[in-house]
Amino acid sequence: ENFTYSVHFNHPDPLTELFLPKLKIHANSSVTWSYSSENQKTVLNAKALKVEFAGKTFSQFYADISSDKQKIKISTGCQRLDINDSIGADNLALNSTILNDSIKWKLDWKNNNSKEYNGKFNGLVSFDDHPQIKIKLFNSQIVLADSVWKMSEDNEVSIDTSQININDLCFVNGN
């Protein structure tokens, strides 16, 4: 069997005020959910012109989530994230795949300024050595005012029940 449900929000304020008072979803937002029992696949798509949460504003927000028997894929982002009146990011995208005991993720943004400001982070979170969690960044960099800063390749963060170890987690200027 196959199921599909769609919800269009004209005035979601009463609902969000009741359950999540720090969340404001603007009118004309939508969520679609579908499930196929044949391939055991679930898909959720959400779109909003604007979402505000805890003082942060996400313009042209989207979230696409799919899952099957083996993995979960999440793709979310926005055209503009305003952290406050003077700090923000354009073209923000977070993509991740959850498979077995790991999360592979990629975070990108590219601001539309005269000087280049962008970031590219690729990482892996591993839960293989439970209760220890290992986090590693690959080929990651930030560009601030046309200046390139690359993440050291030997970086690793490990978290367990009694401590957090941070190894070589630093950016090096490439200019």
Side-chain angles (χ1 to χ4, degrees):
E1 293 185 54
N2 296 327
F3 301 97
T4 299
Y5 297 98
S6 294
V7 178
H8 182 82
F9 297 101
N10 287 325
H11 302 287
D13 289 344
L15 186 64
T16 57
E17 287 173 6
L18 180 63
F19 293 107
L20 294 165
K22 290 185 178 183
L23 177 67
K24 181 175 172 82
I25 301 171
H26 287 249
N28 297 319
S29 301
S30 64
V31 175
T32 302
W33 174 81
S34 62
Y35 175 75
S36 169
S37 60
E38 182 179 326
N39 57 16
Q40 294 183 345
K41 186 170 185 173
T42 301
V43 176
L44 179 105
N45 304 104
K47 293 180 184 177
L49 294 175
K50 190 180 282 189
V51 174
E52 297 175 39
F53 183 73
K56 316 301 183 264
T57 303
F58 302 81
S59 300
Q60 300 293 326
F61 172 82
Y62 67 90
D64 299 311
I65 303 167
S66 65
S67 67
D68 57 30
K69 294 179 192 179
Q70 298 175 337
K71 65 184 172 290
I72 299 171
K73 287 188 164 191
I74 302 169
S75 176
T76 187
C78 60
Q79 185 179 53
R80 173 83 182 159
L81 166 61
D82 287 311
I83 297 169
N84 61 33
D85 290 341
S86 59
I87 298 174
D90 294 326
N91 307 305
L92 184 68
L94 174 62
N95 297 295
S96 57
T97 301
I98 303 168
L99 178 65
N100 298 324
D101 291 337
S102 299
I103 303 170
K104 184 178 180 183
W105 58 273
K106 179 180 181 185
L107 175 67
D108 294 317
W109 79 87
K110 183 173 177 69
N111 283 15
N112 301 319
N113 297 355
S114 59
K115 289 190 179 255
E116 189 172 1
Y117 289 88
N118 68 57
K120 296 177 187 194
F121 293 90
N122 299 290
L124 179 70
V125 179
S126 174
F127 301 92
D128 288 340
D129 298 327
H130 181 75
Q132 187 178 52
I133 300 168
K134 292 185 180 177
I135 303 167
K136 174 93 173 135
L137 295 171
F138 305 97
N139 302 320
S140 298
Q141 72 176 31
I142 294 177
V143 179
L144 301 171
D146 297 330
S147 181
V148 178
W149 294 81
K150 294 186 179 191
M151 174 63 71
S152 60
E153 292 183 20
D154 296 327
N155 71 80
E156 183 178 84
V157 176
S158 61
I159 304 168
D160 67 22
T161 57
S162 62
Q163 63 184 357
I164 298 173
N165 292 316
I166 300 172
N167 181 45
D168 204 24
L169 188 63
C170 62
F171 284 94
V172 178
N173 187 306
N175 286 351

